[in-house]
Amino acid sequence: MTSVSETPTITTRNAVEEFLFHEAGLIDEWRLEEWLDLFTLDCTYEVPATDRPHADPGLTWSLIHDGRTMLEQRVIRLKKPEAHAEFPHSQTSRIVGNVRILAETDEMIAVTANFIINRAKSGKFDTYVGRYDYELIPGNSSFLIRRKRAVLAHDMLDPQGKISFII
């Protein structure tokens, strides 16, 4: 990284927040193809194991560690009725907050944010909490996601069980 802005401008912070809120809305509305369009071709989407949130995903097991092709396959799979774990789809409502810009260059913005996801499925309600880490690429009027890392604050997934939807 080169120059780092200690105090991002209000416009930049607002633009980043609007982008993250837009992304959250696309996922909650199951507009997953549009969500996929927010990612670069060299993107990664990662959900590390809950007992090793800081581990290198290339060296250890992760709940999710997708490149672009795997992410496309995940979206196709989630949209099919044969994806029994998500058919009918979970109803989710996520809140993204405490958005902070950690570093900014002309080519990249490092962002962190907290999340709370409430999920309703088959008469059960679960809550997932954690932190997002993003590497955003500035574009003409918005951003693209080069890296998204969703770190769950849970020390285990029970009673929620498996992750069958987009965190």
Side-chain angles (χ1 to χ4, degrees):
M1 262 180 257
T2 55
S3 72
V4 174
S5 174
E6 294 282 330
T7 307
T9 65
I10 291 173
T11 300
T12 300
R13 180 182 307 282
N14 284 343
V16 169
E17 287 177 338
E18 283 300 319
F19 178 78
L20 297 183
F21 300 160
H22 173 67
E23 184 209 10
L26 291 177
I27 300 169
D28 285 344
E29 296 167 15
W30 280 81
R31 294 165 51 192
L32 300 182
E33 292 90 355
E34 293 173 66
W35 173 71
L36 185 60
D37 289 341
L38 300 179
F39 286 81
T40 64
L41 294 178
D42 63 345
C43 69
T44 58
Y45 169 62
E46 178 192 355
V47 181
T50 56
D51 62 341
R52 295 184 181 184
H54 305 293
D56 180 345
L59 301 175
T60 187
W61 182 83
S62 297
L63 295 171
I64 298 171
H65 186 225
D66 291 349
R68 178 68 189 212
T69 302
M70 289 296 294
L71 193 56
E72 290 171 357
Q73 292 302 312
R74 182 176 301 280
V75 167
I76 291 169
R77 189 176 59 251
L78 285 172
K79 298 292 272 192
K80 290 183 176 179
E82 294 83 13
H84 298 291
E86 283 302 324
F87 202 84
H89 304 309
S90 295
Q91 299 297 311
T92 59
S93 176
R94 60 196 73 217
I95 298 170
V96 177
N98 296 342
V99 177
R100 292 182 295 142
I101 298 172
L102 302 177
E104 184 175 2
T105 68
D106 290 339
E107 297 84 31
M108 181 277 298
I109 300 172
V111 174
T112 188
N114 293 340
F115 66 83
I116 300 172
I117 303 171
N118 291 307
R119 175 188 189 208
K121 173 114 175 109
S122 302
K124 290 180 57 185
F125 293 91
D126 298 310
T127 299
Y128 296 79
V129 297
R131 182 190 79 244
Y132 290 131
D133 297 320
Y134 288 95
E135 186 176 309
L136 302 178
I137 306 302
N140 291 336
S141 61
S142 188
F143 305 96
L144 289 174
I145 301 168
R146 180 184 292 154
R147 181 172 185 245
K148 178 178 182 178
R149 189 167 184 262
V151 180
L152 291 165
H154 306 243
D155 55 356
M156 66 173 80
L157 288 178
D158 291 330
Q160 288 88 355
K162 61 187 173 186
I163 303 289
S164 59
F165 63 103
I166 302 293
I167 296 286

